[in-house]
Amino acid sequence: MRLFAFRTILKFFYRFVKTIFTLVKRAPLLLTLGFLLLVAGGITLYQYFPGKKETSVWDLVPGQTVLVYEADDCSECSYRADGSIIRRMFNNLLFDFPDSTKKDLEILSSPKKGNAISLHVTSKDDFDVIYYFPLAQEKQFETALNSWKEVKRIKFSERELNGVRIQEFNFDNRKFSCVQLEGIWVGSFTPFLLEDVIRTFTSDDKSNFTNEITEVYSLPRINGDPGNIFIHLKNFTSWLRIFPEGAIPFSNFGQASLLDIKNSEHSITLNGFSLTRKGEESLLSYFEQQSPVQFVLKRYISNRTIFAIDYGISDGSALYKNLTLSKNKNIQDTLANLAKVDFDKLFSSLGKEMSNCYLESRNGSVSKILLFETEKPQEWLSAFDQFSKAVEKEDTVFYEKYSTYEIREIEMNNFPGKLFHPLTSGFDQTYYTSIGNTIILSEQLEEIKQFVEDIDQENVWGKVVSFNKFLESTLLESNVSLYVNTPIIWNLLSHRLNPRWKSFIAENQYLLNGIELGAIQFGHLNESFYTNVTWSYSNEIAQPDQKIKQSD
């Protein structure tokens, strides 16, 4: 059709110029101008008609999107996750409807190849999603719409925004809004999210999601798996903030991630790559000059640990140059007035790992233990001793012999944070000791005693068969890793979540009890970070009407 139109226009211009040529044989200047106009018009039309870009789902995704799931055809997957905990959690989160309504909404809960779902923050404690049905599925979605209009309990209405007709369906007091934009159907249970899509489509400002993650979007994708997930990491941090009461440790992990999904009967794994943005400070940017290392500190991490953040460090001096300590003269001067320490030299002996361990204390609060390796533990302990003596408020320095350990104290607020920010922070005071080449720091005296006692009794992650088996399914070497002991985390979260999510955990405890160990990992590779997210789970769980065993 476009080629036919192009030929018709060329014929028109040809006849027009021929007529002009006949009439103005004695006007060569006009002839030349006519010829130039013909060429310019032809080129413009050629570029417009045959080269006009067809609108895709990605042109409609708003810039503030947290992530996009793009469904693929997984005909060769060995395990279908329709009845898994993950799928059931997804349905309970987004499709909390009676069974009859869930059947009506099956087109939303079972995405097909080419469909997409985007995640968005909608309030300070909630989120919702947008569903996209491309040209290939438009007829299928229209069939669903027509079937909804025939059901009496589903109320139908229409409205307009910016000249675009919006159809709305009321399902059990929840309104689903949808619109068709150049053949692509878009819908959401949050009307203003759909309005964001319309504004993105009609706006001349192309600051959509694709432009925000442009480098990641251009990465190659694997076909034949359940799909791909595109994550805007800064927006992802904003999404995390809707769950807890209080701040989260990091405001920016990096730029974006592209992850492929792999399902098995007892685990879900996301593999792919994450990128940082040049010149932008983020957690991953601190490790752009580091190589991945093995998780060896597991031999010292107590089984009471709820979760641990482990950093892999191959070059202590390079890490120091990125830390706040090396750039902030005020912190340097403060510490230099207390002790004569060459931090550049000290950090050159920093070992290959640092771990922040978060444990639940006896009083229900969270305690933190910091571990780090060093090739020269005596130099670090000597530096710590200098700080201890300089800030001691009494005449004698605190010292206690506990088993085979010597425990000392530094009465300085946020001492670990002054050394290692932004990798760690906190500690009103710091108790420290060592085991071999590993330094151990704690905010509480009783906690450091219990921690070293767990080490002596081999009550540690490195001695747990199930944990080591789980690690075999994760990255063996990484630079940033979050390990989550999920079975013991729910009690902690139930006291620290916003009311909306406390209620969700209480209602879905029977499902959450089946989720086991988890890991989120980043390993530096060339100009990117290879990324792995793995969570194990069991489908053998108690049903809602069965008695759930409460955690201690």
Side-chain angles (χ1 to χ4, degrees):
M1 180 63 74
R2 290 174 177 170
L3 185 58
F4 175 77
F6 180 62
R7 287 174 176 172
T8 302
I9 292 170
L10 281 180
K11 287 179 180 179
F12 171 78
F13 270 92
Y14 172 76
R15 290 171 182 169
F16 174 76
V17 172
K18 187 176 180 181
T19 302
I20 295 296
F21 181 81
T22 303
L23 295 174
V24 291
K25 289 182 178 180
R26 298 179 181 179
L29 178 60
L30 290 176
L31 177 62
T32 303
L33 288 174
F35 176 75
L36 291 176
L37 284 172
L38 172 63
V39 173
I43 292 174
T44 301
L45 290 169
Y46 176 78
Q47 289 177 339
Y48 179 78
F49 281 100
K52 186 179 179 183
K53 182 178 176 289
E54 188 177 78
T55 300
S56 75
V57 164
W58 290 99
D59 296 317
L60 309 179
V61 182
Q64 72 274 19
T65 300
V66 175
L67 63 82
V68 172
Y69 164 63
E70 183 183 52
D72 201 353
D73 185 8
C74 189
S75 58
E76 297 182 2
C77 289
S78 59
Y79 175 71
R80 304 297 293 188
D82 294 345
S84 72
I85 286 179
I86 303 300
R87 179 59 181 270
R88 289 159 72 182
M89 287 288 294
F90 175 80
N91 284 335
N92 288 356
L93 191 61
L94 298 178
F95 299 99
D96 187 17
F97 294 105
D99 289 342
S100 57
T101 302
K102 286 180 180 178
K103 187 173 182 181
D104 291 327
L105 297 173
E106 190 174 356
I107 192 169
L108 303 181
S109 61
S110 302
K112 301 294 189 294
K113 182 177 181 180
N115 291 6
I117 302 174
S118 61
L119 177 69
H120 305 259
V121 175
T122 56
S123 68
K124 66 178 182 179
D125 65 351
D126 208 356
F127 66 91
D128 203 354
V129 300
I130 301 174
Y131 303 89
Y132 304 83
F133 295 86
L135 293 169
Q137 277 86 34
E138 60 175 325
K139 296 300 181 186
Q140 182 185 9
F141 188 75
E142 287 174 2
T143 301
L145 293 186
N146 292 331
S147 68
W148 294 348
K149 292 174 183 177
E150 295 174 0
V151 180
K152 291 184 179 180
R153 58 183 168 79
I154 302 176
K155 297 180 180 179
F156 171 69
S157 60
E158 292 183 311
R159 63 186 175 95
E160 271 198 15
L161 176 68
N162 294 347
V164 177
R165 185 169 65 99
I166 300 174
Q167 300 185 46
E168 296 185 319
F169 300 84
N170 199 309
F171 294 92
D172 302 303
N173 296 321
R174 285 187 65 189
K175 186 177 291 184
F176 182 79
S177 304
C178 57
V179 66
Q180 189 177 35
L181 301 170
E182 290 199 2
I184 299 172
W185 279 101
V186 187
S188 177
F189 282 101
T190 302
F192 71 79
L193 290 182
L194 189 70
E195 293 168 8
D196 286 345
V197 172
I198 295 173
R199 281 188 283 268
T200 300
F201 173 70
T202 58
S203 174
D204 293 330
D205 179 17
K206 297 304 178 185
S207 58
N208 58 17
F209 183 72
T210 310
N211 292 333
E212 290 287 322
I213 63 161
T214 180
E215 293 88 352
V216 162
Y217 181 76
S218 61
L219 292 174
R221 310 170 199 182
I222 297 175
N223 296 321
D225 58 17
N228 307 297
I229 297 180
F230 300 79
I231 306 175
H232 187 298
L233 291 175
K234 187 177 285 188
N235 291 350
F236 185 77
T237 307
S238 300
W239 177 71
L240 291 177
R241 290 195 183 101
I242 73 174
F243 299 101
E245 291 181 326
I248 61 173
F250 300 102
S251 60
N252 187 12
F253 289 95
Q255 181 195 359
S257 301
L258 167 57
L259 306 176
D260 296 303
I261 304 174
K262 296 179 181 177
N263 263 331
S264 69
E265 190 172 357
H266 296 293
S267 69
I268 183 168
T269 300
L270 310 179
N271 286 123
F273 291 91
S274 300
L275 300 179
T276 57
R277 181 162 279 156
K278 252 186 178 178
E280 184 175 90
E281 185 176 329
S282 64
L283 176 61
L284 295 183
S285 69
Y286 287 91
F287 296 89
E288 289 179 318
Q289 296 174 306
Q290 307 293 330
S291 299
V293 304
Q294 292 184 351
F295 182 33
V296 177
L297 280 181
K298 65 181 181 179
R299 60 183 174 177
Y300 293 142
I301 296 181
S302 167
N303 286 335
R304 295 181 299 111
T305 302
I306 301 167
F307 65 92
I309 303 173
D310 187 72
Y311 300 113
I313 305 161
S314 61
D315 188 338
S317 294
L319 179 67
Y320 171 71
K321 290 179 175 124
N322 282 331
L323 295 178
T324 304
L325 175 60
S326 71
K327 301 174 182 178
N328 192 313
K329 193 174 186 304
N330 290 333
I331 298 177
Q332 288 181 10
D333 291 344
T334 299
L335 296 177
N337 289 334
L338 299 172
K340 294 182 179 180
V341 177
D342 184 341
F343 288 108
D344 199 350
K345 180 182 177 184
L346 190 65
F347 271 81
S348 68
S349 67
L350 190 65
K352 293 188 175 182
E353 279 185 274
M354 176 187 296
S355 289
N356 285 316
C357 306
Y358 295 80
L359 306 91
E360 187 171 13
S361 300
R362 292 188 179 92
N363 61 4
S365 63
V366 177
S367 62
K368 184 159 64 174
I369 300 286
L370 177 65
L371 311 173
F372 67 88
E373 286 185 325
T374 170
E375 298 168 359
K376 299 177 180 178
Q378 201 52 50
E379 289 188 7
W380 282 86
L381 292 172
S382 176
F384 286 3
D385 289 344
Q386 290 184 55
F387 288 116
S388 177
K389 293 175 183 177
V391 299
E392 187 62 46
K393 297 174 182 177
E394 300 179 3
D395 294 336
T396 57
V397 174
F398 176 87
Y399 166 86
E400 182 173 335
K401 184 81 172 176
Y402 183 77
S403 183
T404 59
Y405 302 92
E406 294 180 359
I407 301 175
R408 300 179 187 272
E409 180 189 14
I410 301 174
E411 288 190 275
M412 183 189 302
N413 183 53
N414 194 29
F415 176 69
K418 288 180 172 64
L419 289 180
F420 301 113
H421 185 271
L423 304 186
T424 190
S425 62
F427 290 47
D428 291 333
Q429 66 271 334
T430 301
Y431 294 92
Y432 63 96
T433 188
S434 65
I435 176 171
N437 287 347
T438 301
I439 309 293
I440 305 173
L441 297 88
S442 172
E443 186 177 28
Q444 302 173 30
L445 178 60
E446 290 305 314
E447 285 300 328
I448 198 171
K449 289 180 179 179
Q450 182 63 52
F451 198 84
V452 295
E453 190 174 319
D454 287 339
I455 294 173
D456 288 344
Q457 294 179 357
E458 297 188 339
N459 183 26
V460 292
W461 282 2
K463 294 295 182 179
V464 179
V465 174
S466 59
F467 184 79
N468 283 281
K469 185 177 180 181
F470 168 74
L471 288 181
E472 292 175 2
S473 65
T474 67
L475 295 184
L476 300 181
E477 296 183 340
S478 64
N479 292 109
V480 179
S481 292
L482 169 64
Y483 299 101
V484 183
N485 193 353
T486 318
I488 67 173
I489 202 172
W490 303 120
N491 187 45
L492 170 72
L493 288 179
S494 65
H495 300 300
R496 289 167 177 79
L497 290 179
N498 286 319
R500 154 105 170 80
W501 299 105
K502 286 181 183 178
S503 175
F504 180 80
I505 283 184
E507 293 170 1
N508 292 274
Q509 191 68 59
Y510 73 101
L511 286 173
L512 297 172
N513 286 346
I515 301 178
E516 297 170 349
L517 299 171
I520 302 173
Q521 301 172 285
F522 303 89
H524 186 231
L525 181 65
N526 299 325
E527 298 298 316
S528 63
F529 287 84
Y530 186 74
T531 305
N532 174 82
V533 179
T534 299
W535 239 273
S536 61
Y537 57 83
S538 170
N539 287 319
E540 298 176 3
I541 55 175
Q543 295 303 309
D545 57 344
Q546 292 180 281
K547 185 177 180 180
I548 304 298
K549 183 180 177 181
Q550 299 296 321
S551 57
D552 295 331

